[in-house]
């Protein structure tokens, strides 16, 4: 079955740029979405179709894909961005999530 | 506004079944698929399957094919997910999420989650 891989954790200083990667075979040929999940809350869409914001407009969250890797970039990281982040793609009519990355804002 | 509201906390013994509901409101029900996703303690998000808005068809993740059943009632805009032969590692928060029909690949609205404890 298809798998996508994320680093378990990423740390960033407040105000800096955080990058979270998601890797999978020919992932660049699929649309990737990203979700943020804070403790006790439901996941929330932050990027869809590789690079679009939920409303079609970009904010501090942006995404790119190239080859086998999708990347979520958070600009001007704030304490409120501390959360788990998941990439998601489709493969043969099934949905695949990455294992999740815990973002820590130090 | 569009929302998905799930049923409440469930506690079951190993070997039992659980059925969770997800009621949609505030949008045209037929324009969105409903998916089920869970998050177990210490684990990430795990996809269980997708339900068509008509309730006529469902596709399940390979890991759950023999234990999960998804059904829908368009008249009440409610979708159900039943998981049978429960084990302790089925303890998790279960979410429903909507996905626009057509070529859309994302989940834009999620339910509040239903805690299922198997003990």
């Amino acid at each position: 079955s298809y798998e996508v891989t994320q680093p378990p954790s990423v740390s960033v200083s407040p105000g800096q740029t955080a990058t979270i990667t998601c890797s999978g075979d020919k992932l660049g040929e699929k649309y990737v979405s990203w979700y943020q999940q804070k403790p006790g809350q439901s996941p929330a869409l932050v990027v869809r179709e590789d690079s679009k914001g939920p409303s079609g407009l970009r904010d501090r969250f942006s995404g790119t894909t190239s080859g086998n890797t999708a990347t979520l970039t958070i600009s001007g990281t704030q304490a409120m961005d501390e959360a788990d982040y998941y990439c998601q793609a489709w493969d043969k009519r099934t949905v695949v999530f990455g294992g999740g990355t815990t973002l820590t804002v130090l | 506004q569009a929302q998905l509201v799930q049923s409440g906390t469930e506690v079951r013994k190993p070997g039992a079944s659980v059925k969770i509901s997800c009621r949609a409101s505030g949008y045209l029900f037929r324009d969105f698929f409903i998916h089920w996703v869970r998050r177990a303690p210490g684990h990430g998000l795990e996809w269980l399957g997708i339900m068509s808005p008509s309730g006529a068809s469902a596709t399940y993740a390979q890991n759950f094919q023999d234990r999960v059943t998804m059904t829908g009632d368009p008249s009440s805009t409610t979708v159900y997910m039943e998981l049978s032969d429960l084990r302790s590692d089925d303890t998790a928060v279960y979410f429903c999420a909507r996905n626009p029909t057509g070529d859309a690949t994302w989940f834009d609205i999620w339910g509040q989650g239903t805690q299922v404890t198997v003990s």
Side-chain angles (χ1 to χ4, degrees):
Chain A
S1 60
Y2 190 78
E3 293 184 357
V4 289
T5 303
Q6 299 179 234
S9 62
V10 167
S11 298
V12 65
S13 299
Q16 299 303 303
T17 297
T19 59
I20 299 172
T21 58
C22 174
S23 300
D25 185 45
K26 298 181 181 178
L27 186 59
E29 298 178 9
K30 308 176 190 296
Y31 276 130
V32 176
S33 297
W34 290 89
Y35 302 87
Q36 174 194 70
Q37 188 178 28
K38 297 180 179 180
Q41 297 185 16
S42 305
L45 178 70
V46 293
V47 168
R48 62 178 174 93
E49 292 185 306
D50 296 340
S51 59
K52 299 176 184 176
S55 62
L57 300 176
R58 293 190 180 203
D59 54 8
R60 295 185 299 106
F61 293 84
S62 62
T64 59
T65 60
S66 179
N68 294 331
T69 302
T71 302
L72 174 69
T73 301
I74 308 171
S75 304
T77 307
Q78 304 173 8
M80 64 184 290
D81 299 327
E82 272 207 348
D84 294 327
Y85 290 85
Y86 295 89
C87 60
Q88 171 254 314
W90 285 76
D91 180 70
K92 297 185 178 70
R93 295 171 55 85
T94 63
V95 172
V96 178
F97 287 98
T101 299
T102 298
L103 177 68
T104 302
V105 182
L106 300 171
Chain B
Q1 72 283 16
Q3 61 178 346
L4 299 172
V5 179
Q6 299 181 222
S7 50
T9 298
E10 302 276 8
V11 180
R12 294 286 186 274
K13 295 187 182 303
S17 298
V18 68
K19 190 172 185 177
I20 303 168
S21 67
C22 171
R23 184 172 181 276
S25 63
Y27 70 90
L28 202 55
F29 186 69
R30 67 169 183 248
D31 286 348
F32 294 83
F33 296 108
I34 295 291
H35 296 245
W36 290 90
V37 177
R38 75 180 187 182
R39 184 171 183 186
H43 293 267
L45 298 177
E46 184 176 24
W47 182 74
L48 281 76
I50 175 177
M51 181 82 235
S52 68
S54 67
S57 66
T59 300
Y60 305 132
Q62 192 170 3
N63 288 348
F64 298 96
Q65 272 182 348
D66 56 347
R67 295 198 297 135
V68 70
T69 303
M70 296 177 187
T71 55
D73 179 6
S75 67
S76 65
T77 64
T78 302
V79 177
Y80 302 89
M81 189 281 297
E82 183 171 21
L83 190 61
S84 63
D85 192 21
L86 290 167
R87 309 183 286 251
S88 58
D89 61 1
D90 291 317
T91 293
V93 179
Y94 290 75
F95 299 96
C96 58
R98 76 171 197 178
N99 155 227
T101 58
D103 294 334
T105 58
W106 62 91
F107 307 134
D108 61 346
I109 291 183
W110 295 66
Q112 84 277 20
T114 297
Q115 173 69 53
V116 174
T117 301
V118 183
S119 177

